[in-house]
Structure formats: C-alpha cells, structure tokens
C-alpha cells in the first residue's frame, strides 16, 4: 500500500476512533464524578486527523496527487 492510500485509510479509521472518544465524553459527563482525563482523549485522534487531513487537502494541488502528470490545461 502506498503512502497516499495509507494516510487516507488512517484518516478514515481515525474518524471512527475520534467518534468513539466523543461518545465516551458524553457518557462521562452523565456520571456523577467523571475523571477529567477522559475529556482530553478526543484530542489524540483529532490531532492525528488534522495532520492526515492537511495532507489529504494539499494532495490535489501537488503533481503526485494529479497522478504525476501535468493537467492538459497547464501545458
Ligand atoms: C481536523 C481536521 C481535519 C481536516 C483538515 C480534514 C481534512 C480532510 C480532507 C482534505 C479529506 C479528503 C477529501 C477528499 O478530497 O476526498 C478528508 C476526508 C475525510 N475526513 Fe477529514 N479532516 C479533518 C477531520 C476529520 C474528522 C474530525 C472526521 C470525522 C470524525 C473526518 C472524517 C473524514 C472522512 C470519513 C473522510 C473520507 C476519507 C476517505 O476518503 O475514505 N475528518 N478530510
């Protein structure tokens, strides 16, 4: 699997992990004495999503993201 595919897959699965940690926070606030560290958990996948998301964002603007060729209009 190449880096581009691997990063897109990571971004997709991180979104699932992020969602679960947010649901965990919702459950935590409903408790009487919630542990405060639980509320920091979504930050871990979110930071990784931000980094992988930035990569996915710039991809179409790079030669690699266009398949390594120049677009016909650019010649
Ligand atoms: C934190 C900053 C984030 C940035 C900068 C970001 C950016 C992006 C970008 C640029 C794409 C590719 C769109 C495309 O051209 O196809 C993408 C795809 C996606 N993002 Fe994010 N994203 C972020 C956070 C999230 C979060 C919080 C979630 C969900 C909890 C999420 C879920 C997804 C999913 C499911 C895809 C489709 C992945 C695929 O192609 O399989 N992202 N994101």
């Amino acid at each position: 699997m190449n880096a581009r595919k691997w990063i897109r897959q990571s971004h997709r699965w991180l979104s699932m992990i992020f969602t679960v940690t947010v649901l965990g926070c919702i459950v935590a606030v409903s408790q009487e004495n919630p542990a405060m560290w639980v509320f920091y958990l979504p930050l871990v996948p979110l930071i990784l999503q931000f980094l992988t998301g930035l990569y996915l964002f710039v991809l179409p603007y790079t030669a690699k993201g266009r398949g390594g060729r120049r677009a016909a209009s650019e010649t």
Side-chain angles (χ1 to χ4, degrees):
M1 197 185 277
N2 60 29
R4 190 168 24 144
K5 259 191 182 164
W6 191 83
I7 289 174
R8 189 174 283 275
Q9 288 288 324
S10 308
H11 193 79
R12 191 183 293 173
W13 282 102
L14 280 166
S15 72
M16 288 296 115
I17 297 168
F18 173 73
T19 308
V20 170
T21 56
V22 171
L23 290 176
C25 286
I26 293 168
V27 172
V29 272
S30 70
Q31 307 295 307
E32 225 169 81
N33 253 329
M36 284 301 138
W37 60 264
V38 176
F39 301 108
Y40 292 103
L41 279 183
L43 285 177
V44 179
L46 187 62
I47 289 165
L48 293 171
Q49 283 226 277
F50 177 65
L51 297 174
T52 52
L54 280 185
Y55 176 85
L56 290 176
F57 182 83
V58 298
L59 210 56
Y61 305 104
T62 63
K64 236 181 166 182
R66 291 193 300 254
R69 282 180 286 119
R70 279 178 151 235
S73 59
E74 278 183 41
T75 51

Coordinates of all heavy atoms in Angstrom, one line a residue:
M1 N 0.8 -1.2 0.0 CA 0.0 0.0 0.0 C 0.9 1.3 0.0 O 1.8 1.4 0.8 CB -0.9 0.0 1.3 CG -2.1 0.9 1.2 SD -3.0 1.0 2.7 CE -4.0 -0.4 2.5
N2 N 0.6 2.2 -0.9 CA 1.5 3.4 -0.9 C 1.1 4.4 0.2 O 0.0 4.3 0.8 CB 1.5 4.0 -2.3 CG 0.1 4.5 -2.8 OD1 -0.7 4.8 -2.0 ND2 -0.1 4.5 -4.1
A3 N 1.9 5.4 0.4 CA 1.7 6.4 1.5 C 0.4 7.1 1.4 O -0.3 7.3 2.4 CB 2.9 7.4 1.5
R4 N 0.0 7.5 0.1 CA -1.3 8.2 -0.1 C -2.5 7.4 0.4 O -3.3 7.9 1.1 CB -1.4 8.5 -1.5 CG -2.5 9.5 -1.8 CD -2.5 10.1 -3.2 NE -1.8 9.2 -4.2 CZ -2.2 9.1 -5.5 NH1 -3.2 9.8 -5.9 NH2 -1.5 8.4 -6.3
K5 N -2.5 6.1 0.0 CA -3.6 5.2 0.4 C -3.6 5.0 1.9 O -4.7 5.0 2.5 CB -3.4 3.9 -0.4 CG -4.3 3.7 -1.6 CD -4.3 2.3 -2.0 CE -5.2 2.1 -3.3 NZ -4.8 0.8 -3.9
W6 N -2.4 4.8 2.4 CA -2.2 4.5 3.8 C -2.7 5.7 4.7 O -3.4 5.5 5.7 CB -0.8 4.2 4.1 CG -0.5 3.6 5.4 CD1 -0.6 2.3 5.8 CD2 -0.1 4.4 6.6 NE1 -0.3 2.2 7.1 CE2 0.0 3.4 7.7 CE3 0.2 5.7 6.9 CZ2 0.4 3.8 8.9 CZ3 0.5 6.0 8.2 CH2 0.7 5.1 9.2
I7 N -2.4 6.9 4.3 CA -2.8 8.1 5.0 C -4.3 8.3 4.9 O -5.0 8.6 5.9 CB -2.0 9.3 4.6 CG1 -0.6 9.2 5.0 CG2 -2.6 10.6 5.1 CD1 0.4 10.2 4.6
R8 N -4.9 8.0 3.7 CA -6.4 8.2 3.6 C -7.1 7.1 4.5 O -8.1 7.5 5.1 CB -6.8 8.0 2.1 CG -8.3 8.3 1.9 CD -8.6 8.3 0.4 NE -8.2 9.5 -0.3 CZ -8.9 10.6 -0.4 NH1 -10.0 10.7 0.2 NH2 -8.4 11.6 -1.0
Q9 N -6.6 5.9 4.5 CA -7.2 4.8 5.4 C -7.0 5.2 6.8 O -8.0 5.0 7.6 CB -6.5 3.5 5.1 CG -6.8 2.8 3.8 CD -8.2 2.3 3.8 OE1 -8.7 1.8 4.8 NE2 -8.8 2.4 2.6
S10 N -5.9 5.8 7.2 CA -5.7 6.2 8.6 C -6.7 7.3 9.0 O -7.3 7.2 10.0 CB -4.3 6.7 8.8 OG -3.3 5.8 8.3
H11 N -6.9 8.2 8.1 CA -7.8 9.3 8.3 C -9.2 8.8 8.5 O -9.9 9.2 9.4 CB -7.8 10.3 7.1 CG -8.5 11.6 7.4 ND1 -7.9 12.6 8.1 CD2 -9.7 12.0 7.1 CE1 -8.7 13.6 8.2 NE2 -9.8 13.3 7.6
R12 N -9.6 7.8 7.7 CA -10.9 7.2 7.8 C -11.1 6.5 9.1 O -12.1 6.7 9.8 CB -11.1 6.2 6.6 CG -12.5 5.7 6.4 CD -12.6 4.7 5.3 NE -12.3 5.3 4.0 CZ -12.2 4.6 2.9 NH1 -12.3 3.3 2.9 NH2 -12.0 5.2 1.8
W13 N -10.1 5.7 9.5 CA -10.3 4.9 10.8 C -10.1 5.8 12.0 O -10.8 5.5 13.0 CB -9.3 3.7 10.8 CG -9.8 2.6 9.9 CD1 -9.4 2.3 8.7 CD2 -10.9 1.7 10.3 NE1 -10.2 1.3 8.2 CE2 -11.1 0.9 9.1 CE3 -11.7 1.6 11.4 CZ2 -12.1 -0.1 9.1 CZ3 -12.7 0.6 11.3 CH2 -12.9 -0.2 10.2
L14 N -9.3 6.8 11.9 CA -9.2 7.8 13.0 C -10.5 8.5 13.2 O -10.9 8.8 14.4 CB -8.1 8.8 12.7 CG -6.7 8.4 12.9 CD1 -5.7 9.4 12.3 CD2 -6.4 8.3 14.4
S15 N -11.3 8.7 12.2 CA -12.6 9.3 12.4 C -13.5 8.5 13.2 O -14.3 9.0 14.0 CB -13.3 9.6 11.0 OG -13.7 8.5 10.4
M16 N -13.4 7.1 13.1 CA -14.2 6.2 13.9 C -13.7 6.3 15.4 O -14.5 6.4 16.3 CB -14.0 4.8 13.4 CG -14.7 4.5 12.1 SD -16.5 4.6 12.3 CE -16.8 6.0 11.2
I17 N -12.4 6.3 15.5 CA -11.8 6.3 16.9 C -12.2 7.7 17.6 O -12.6 7.7 18.7 CB -10.3 6.1 16.9 CG1 -9.9 4.8 16.3 CG2 -9.6 6.4 18.2 CD1 -8.5 4.6 15.9
F18 N -12.1 8.8 16.8 CA -12.5 10.1 17.3 C -13.9 10.1 17.8 O -14.3 10.5 18.9 CB -12.3 11.1 16.2 CG -12.7 12.5 16.6 CD1 -12.1 13.3 17.5 CD2 -13.9 13.0 16.0 CE1 -12.5 14.5 17.9 CE2 -14.4 14.3 16.3 CZ -13.7 15.0 17.3
T19 N -14.8 9.5 16.9 CA -16.3 9.5 17.3 C -16.5 8.7 18.6 O -17.3 9.1 19.4 CB -17.1 8.8 16.1 OG1 -16.7 9.5 14.9 CG2 -18.5 8.9 16.3
V20 N -15.8 7.6 18.7 CA -16.0 6.8 19.9 C -15.5 7.6 21.2 O -16.2 7.5 22.2 CB -15.2 5.4 19.8 CG1 -15.1 4.7 21.1 CG2 -15.9 4.5 18.7
T21 N -14.4 8.3 21.0 CA -13.9 9.1 22.2 C -14.9 10.2 22.5 O -15.0 10.5 23.7 CB -12.5 9.6 21.9 OG1 -12.5 10.4 20.8 CG2 -11.4 8.6 21.8
V22 N -15.5 10.8 21.5 CA -16.5 11.9 21.8 C -17.7 11.3 22.5 O -18.2 11.8 23.5 CB -16.9 12.6 20.5 CG1 -18.1 13.5 20.7 CG2 -15.8 13.4 19.9
L23 N -18.2 10.1 22.0 CA -19.3 9.4 22.7 C -18.9 9.1 24.2 O -19.7 9.2 25.1 CB -19.7 8.1 22.0 CG -20.3 8.3 20.6 CD1 -20.6 7.0 19.9 CD2 -21.6 9.1 20.7
G24 N -17.6 8.7 24.4 CA -17.1 8.4 25.7 C -17.2 9.6 26.6 O -17.6 9.5 27.8
C25 N -17.0 10.8 26.0 CA -17.1 12.1 26.8 C -18.5 12.3 27.2 O -18.8 12.8 28.3 CB -16.6 13.2 25.9 SG -14.8 13.3 25.8
I26 N -19.4 12.0 26.2 CA -20.9 12.3 26.5 C -21.3 11.4 27.7 O -22.0 11.8 28.6 CB -21.7 12.0 25.2 CG1 -21.4 13.1 24.2 CG2 -23.2 12.0 25.5 CD1 -21.9 12.9 22.8
V27 N -20.8 10.1 27.7 CA -21.1 9.2 28.8 C -20.5 9.7 30.0 O -21.1 9.7 31.1 CB -20.6 7.8 28.4 CG1 -20.8 6.8 29.6 CG2 -21.4 7.2 27.2
A28 N -19.3 10.2 29.9 CA -18.6 10.7 31.1 C -19.3 11.9 31.8 O -19.4 11.9 33.0 CB -17.1 11.1 30.8
V29 N -19.8 12.8 31.0 CA -20.5 14.0 31.6 C -21.8 13.6 32.3 O -22.2 14.3 33.2 CB -20.9 15.2 30.7 CG1 -19.7 16.1 30.5 CG2 -21.3 14.7 29.3
S30 N -22.3 12.4 31.9 CA -23.5 12.0 32.6 C -23.3 11.3 34.0 O -24.2 11.0 34.7 CB -24.3 11.0 31.7 OG -23.6 9.8 31.6
Q31 N -22.0 11.1 34.2 CA -21.6 10.4 35.5 C -21.5 11.5 36.6 O -21.4 12.7 36.3 CB -20.2 9.7 35.4 CG -20.1 8.8 34.3 CD -21.0 7.6 34.4 OE1 -21.0 6.9 35.4 NE2 -21.8 7.3 33.4
E32 N -21.6 11.0 37.9 CA -21.5 12.0 39.0 C -20.2 12.6 39.2 O -20.1 13.8 39.3 CB -22.0 11.3 40.3 CG -22.9 12.1 41.1 CD -23.6 11.3 42.2 OE1 -22.9 11.2 43.2 OE2 -24.7 10.8 42.0
N33 N -19.1 11.8 39.1 CA -17.8 12.3 39.3 C -16.9 11.9 38.2 O -16.0 11.0 38.4 CB -17.2 11.8 40.7 CG -17.1 12.9 41.7 OD1 -16.9 14.1 41.3 ND2 -17.3 12.5 43.0
P34 N -17.0 12.5 37.0 CA -16.2 12.0 35.9 C -14.7 12.3 36.0 O -14.3 13.3 36.5 CB -16.8 12.7 34.7 CG -17.4 14.0 35.3 CD -17.8 13.6 36.6
A35 N -13.9 11.3 35.5 CA -12.5 11.5 35.5 C -12.2 12.6 34.4 O -12.6 12.5 33.3 CB -11.8 10.2 35.2
M36 N -11.4 13.6 34.8 CA -11.2 14.7 33.9 C -10.3 14.3 32.7 O -10.5 14.9 31.6 CB -10.5 15.9 34.6 CG -11.5 16.7 35.5 SD -12.8 17.3 34.6 CE -14.2 17.0 35.6
W37 N -9.5 13.4 32.8 CA -8.6 13.0 31.7 C -9.4 12.5 30.5 O -8.9 12.5 29.3 CB -7.5 12.0 32.1 CG -8.1 10.7 32.7 CD1 -8.2 10.4 34.0 CD2 -8.5 9.5 31.9 NE1 -8.7 9.1 34.1 CE2 -8.9 8.6 32.8 CE3 -8.5 9.2 30.5 CZ2 -9.4 7.3 32.5 CZ3 -9.0 7.9 30.2 CH2 -9.4 7.0 31.1
V38 N -10.6 11.9 30.7 CA -11.4 11.4 29.6 C -11.7 12.5 28.6 O -11.7 12.2 27.4 CB -12.8 10.8 30.2 CG1 -13.7 10.4 29.1 CG2 -12.5 9.7 31.2
F39 N -11.8 13.7 29.0 CA -12.2 14.8 28.1 C -11.0 15.2 27.2 O -11.2 16.0 26.3 CB -12.7 16.0 28.9 CG -13.9 15.6 29.7 CD1 -13.9 15.5 31.1 CD2 -15.1 15.4 29.1 CE1 -15.0 15.2 31.8 CE2 -16.2 15.0 29.8 CZ -16.2 14.9 31.2
Y40 N -9.8 14.7 27.5 CA -8.7 15.0 26.7 C -8.5 14.0 25.6 O -7.7 14.2 24.7 CB -7.4 15.1 27.5 CG -7.4 16.4 28.4 CD1 -7.6 16.2 29.8 CD2 -7.1 17.6 27.9 CE1 -7.7 17.4 30.6 CE2 -7.1 18.7 28.7 CZ -7.4 18.6 30.1 OH -7.4 19.7 30.9
L41 N -9.1 12.8 25.8 CA -9.0 11.7 24.9 C -9.2 12.0 23.4 O -8.5 11.6 22.5 CB -9.8 10.5 25.3 CG -9.2 9.6 26.4 CD1 -10.2 8.4 26.7 CD2 -7.9 9.1 26.0
P42 N -10.3 12.8 23.1 CA -10.6 13.1 21.6 C -9.5 13.9 21.0 O -9.4 13.9 19.7 CB -11.9 13.9 21.7 CG -12.5 13.6 23.0 CD -11.4 13.3 23.9
L43 N -8.7 14.6 21.8 CA -7.6 15.4 21.2 C -6.5 14.5 20.5 O -6.0 15.0 19.5 CB -6.9 16.2 22.3 CG -7.7 17.4 22.8 CD1 -6.9 18.1 23.9 CD2 -7.9 18.4 21.7
V44 N -6.3 13.3 21.0 CA -5.3 12.4 20.3 C -5.7 12.1 18.9 O -4.9 12.4 18.0 CB -5.0 11.2 21.2 CG1 -4.0 10.3 20.5 CG2 -4.6 11.5 22.6
P45 N -6.9 11.5 18.6 CA -7.2 11.2 17.2 C -7.4 12.5 16.4 O -7.1 12.5 15.2 CB -8.5 10.4 17.3 CG -9.0 10.5 18.7 CD -7.8 10.9 19.5
L46 N -7.9 13.6 17.1 CA -8.2 14.8 16.4 C -6.9 15.5 15.8 O -6.9 15.9 14.7 CB -8.9 15.8 17.3 CG -9.4 17.1 16.6 CD1 -10.4 16.8 15.5 CD2 -10.0 18.1 17.6
I47 N -5.8 15.4 16.6 CA -4.6 16.0 16.2 C -4.0 15.2 15.0 O -3.6 15.7 14.0 CB -3.5 16.1 17.3 CG1 -4.0 17.1 18.4 CG2 -2.1 16.3 16.8 CD1 -3.3 17.1 19.7
L48 N -4.1 13.8 15.1 CA -3.7 13.0 14.0 C -4.6 13.2 12.8 O -4.1 13.2 11.6 CB -3.7 11.5 14.4 CG -2.7 11.1 15.5 CD1 -3.0 9.7 16.0 CD2 -1.3 11.3 15.0
Q49 N -5.9 13.4 13.0 CA -6.8 13.7 11.8 C -6.4 15.0 11.2 O -6.5 15.1 10.0 CB -8.2 13.8 12.3 CG -8.7 12.4 12.6 CD -10.1 12.3 12.0 OE1 -11.1 12.7 12.7 NE2 -10.2 11.7 10.9
F50 N -6.1 16.0 12.0 CA -5.7 17.3 11.4 C -4.5 17.1 10.5 O -4.4 17.7 9.4 CB -5.4 18.3 12.6 CG -4.9 19.6 12.1 CD1 -5.8 20.4 11.4 CD2 -3.7 20.1 12.4 CE1 -5.4 21.7 11.0 CE2 -3.2 21.3 12.0 CZ -4.1 22.1 11.3
L51 N -3.5 16.4 11.0 CA -2.2 16.2 10.2 C -2.5 15.4 9.0 O -2.1 15.8 7.9 CB -1.2 15.5 11.1 CG -0.7 16.3 12.3 CD1 0.2 15.5 13.2 CD2 -0.1 17.6 11.9
T52 N -3.2 14.3 9.1 CA -3.5 13.5 7.9 C -4.5 14.2 7.0 O -4.4 14.2 5.7 CB -4.1 12.1 8.3 OG1 -5.2 12.3 9.1 CG2 -3.1 11.2 8.9
G53 N -5.4 15.0 7.6 CA -6.3 15.8 6.8 C -5.7 16.9 6.0 O -6.0 17.1 4.8
L54 N -4.6 17.5 6.6 CA -3.9 18.5 5.8 C -3.2 17.9 4.6 O -3.2 18.5 3.5 CB -2.8 19.2 6.7 CG -3.3 20.3 7.7 CD1 -2.1 20.9 8.4 CD2 -4.0 21.4 7.0
Y55 N -2.7 16.7 4.8 CA -2.0 16.0 3.7 C -3.0 15.7 2.6 O -2.8 16.0 1.4 CB -1.4 14.7 4.2 CG -0.8 13.8 3.1 CD1 0.5 14.1 2.7 CD2 -1.5 12.8 2.5 CE1 1.1 13.3 1.7 CE2 -1.0 12.1 1.5 CZ 0.3 12.3 1.1 OH 0.9 11.6 0.1
L56 N -4.2 15.2 3.0 CA -5.2 14.9 2.0 C -5.7 16.2 1.3 O -6.0 16.2 0.1 CB -6.5 14.3 2.7 CG -6.2 12.9 3.2 CD1 -7.5 12.4 3.9 CD2 -5.9 11.9 2.0
F57 N -5.7 17.3 2.0 CA -6.1 18.6 1.4 C -5.2 19.1 0.3 O -5.6 19.5 -0.7 CB -6.3 19.7 2.5 CG -6.8 21.0 2.0 CD1 -8.1 21.2 1.8 CD2 -5.9 22.0 1.7 CE1 -8.6 22.4 1.3 CE2 -6.3 23.2 1.2 CZ -7.7 23.4 1.0
V58 N -3.8 19.0 0.6 CA -2.9 19.5 -0.3 C -2.6 18.6 -1.5 O -2.2 19.0 -2.6 CB -1.5 19.9 0.3 CG1 -1.7 21.0 1.3 CG2 -0.8 18.7 0.9
L59 N -3.0 17.3 -1.3 CA -2.8 16.3 -2.4 C -3.2 16.7 -3.8 O -2.4 16.6 -4.7 CB -3.4 15.0 -1.9 CG -2.8 13.7 -2.4 CD1 -1.3 13.7 -2.0 CD2 -3.5 12.5 -1.9
P60 N -4.4 17.2 -4.0 CA -4.9 17.6 -5.4 C -4.0 18.7 -6.0 O -4.0 18.8 -7.2 CB -6.3 18.0 -5.2 CG -6.8 17.5 -3.9 CD -5.5 17.5 -3.0
Y61 N -3.3 19.5 -5.2 CA -2.6 20.6 -5.7 C -1.1 20.2 -6.0 O -0.4 21.0 -6.5 CB -2.6 21.8 -4.7 CG -4.0 22.2 -4.4 CD1 -4.5 21.8 -3.1 CD2 -4.8 22.9 -5.3 CE1 -5.9 22.2 -2.8 CE2 -6.1 23.2 -5.0 CZ -6.6 22.9 -3.8 OH -7.9 23.2 -3.5
T62 N -0.7 19.0 -5.7 CA 0.6 18.5 -5.9 C 0.7 17.7 -7.2 O -0.4 17.1 -7.6 CB 1.2 17.7 -4.8 OG1 0.4 16.5 -4.6 CG2 1.2 18.5 -3.5
A63 N 1.8 17.5 -7.8 CA 2.0 16.7 -9.0 C 1.6 15.3 -8.7 O 1.0 14.6 -9.5 CB 3.4 16.8 -9.5
K64 N 2.0 14.8 -7.5 CA 1.7 13.4 -7.1 C 0.2 13.1 -7.0 O -0.2 12.1 -7.5 CB 2.3 13.2 -5.7 CG 3.3 12.1 -5.5 CD 3.7 12.0 -4.1 CE 4.4 10.7 -3.9 NZ 4.8 10.6 -2.4
G65 N -0.5 14.1 -6.5 CA -2.0 14.0 -6.3 C -2.7 14.0 -7.7 O -3.8 13.4 -7.8
R66 N -2.0 14.6 -8.7 CA -2.7 14.6 -10.0 C -2.2 13.4 -10.9 O -2.4 13.4 -12.1 CB -2.3 15.9 -10.8 CG -3.0 17.1 -10.1 CD -2.9 18.3 -11.0 NE -1.5 18.7 -11.3 CZ -0.9 19.7 -10.7 NH1 -1.5 20.5 -9.9 NH2 0.4 20.0 -11.0
G67 N -1.5 12.5 -10.2 CA -1.1 11.3 -10.9 C 0.3 11.4 -11.6 O 0.6 10.7 -12.5
G68 N 1.0 12.5 -11.1 CA 2.4 12.7 -11.6 C 2.4 13.3 -13.0 O 3.5 13.5 -13.5
R69 N 1.3 13.7 -13.5 CA 1.3 14.3 -14.8 C 0.8 15.7 -14.7 O 0.0 16.1 -13.8 CB 0.4 13.5 -15.8 CG 1.0 12.3 -16.3 CD 0.1 11.5 -17.2 NE -1.0 10.9 -16.5 CZ -2.2 11.1 -16.7 NH1 -2.6 12.1 -17.5 NH2 -3.2 10.5 -16.0
R70 N 1.1 16.6 -15.7 CA 0.6 17.9 -15.7 C -0.8 17.9 -16.3 O -1.1 17.1 -17.3 CB 1.4 18.8 -16.6 CG 2.7 19.3 -15.9 CD 3.5 20.1 -16.8 NE 4.2 21.1 -16.0 CZ 4.2 22.4 -16.2 NH1 3.5 22.9 -17.2 NH2 4.8 23.2 -15.4
A71 N -1.7 18.7 -15.8 CA -3.1 18.7 -16.4 C -3.0 19.2 -17.8 O -2.2 20.1 -18.1 CB -4.0 19.6 -15.5
A72 N -3.9 18.8 -18.7 CA -3.9 19.2 -20.1 C -3.9 20.7 -20.2 O -3.3 21.3 -21.1 CB -5.1 18.6 -20.8
S73 N -4.7 21.4 -19.4 CA -4.9 22.9 -19.5 C -3.6 23.6 -19.1 O -3.5 24.8 -19.3 CB -6.0 23.3 -18.6 OG -5.8 23.0 -17.3
E74 N -2.7 22.9 -18.4 CA -1.5 23.6 -17.9 C -0.3 23.6 -18.9 O 0.7 24.2 -18.7 CB -1.0 22.9 -16.7 CG -1.7 23.3 -15.4 CD -1.1 22.6 -14.2 OE1 0.1 22.5 -14.1 OE2 -2.0 22.2 -13.4
T75 N -0.5 22.9 -20.0 CA 0.7 22.8 -21.0 C 1.1 24.0 -21.7 O 0.8 25.1 -21.5 CB 0.4 21.7 -22.1 OG1 -0.9 22.1 -22.6 CG2 0.3 20.3 -21.5
Ligands
LIG1 C1 -9.1 18.1 12.0 C2 -9.1 18.5 10.8 C3 -9.5 17.7 9.6 C4 -9.0 18.0 8.3 C5 -8.1 19.2 7.9 C6 -9.6 17.1 7.4 C7 -9.5 17.1 6.0 C8 -9.9 16.1 5.2 C9 -9.7 16.1 3.7 C10 -8.9 17.1 3.0 C11 -10.2 15.0 3.2 C12 -10.2 14.5 1.8 C13 -11.4 15.0 1.0 C14 -11.2 14.4 -0.4 O1 -10.6 15.1 -1.2 O2 -11.7 13.3 -0.7 C15 -10.9 14.3 4.3 C16 -11.6 13.1 4.2 C17 -12.3 12.6 5.2 N1 -12.5 13.0 6.5 FE1 -11.4 14.6 7.3 N2 -10.4 16.2 8.1 C18 -10.4 16.6 9.4 C19 -11.0 16.0 10.4 C20 -12.0 15.0 10.3 C21 -12.9 14.5 11.3 C22 -12.9 15.1 12.8 C23 -13.6 13.5 10.8 C24 -14.6 12.6 11.4 C25 -14.8 12.4 12.7 C26 -13.1 13.3 9.4 C27 -13.6 12.3 8.5 C28 -13.2 12.2 7.2 C29 -13.6 11.1 6.4 C30 -14.5 9.9 6.8 C31 -13.1 11.3 5.1 C32 -13.2 10.4 3.9 C33 -11.9 9.6 3.9 C34 -11.9 8.6 2.6 O3 -11.7 9.1 1.5 O4 -12.0 7.5 2.8 N3 -12.2 14.2 9.1 N4 -10.7 15.0 5.5

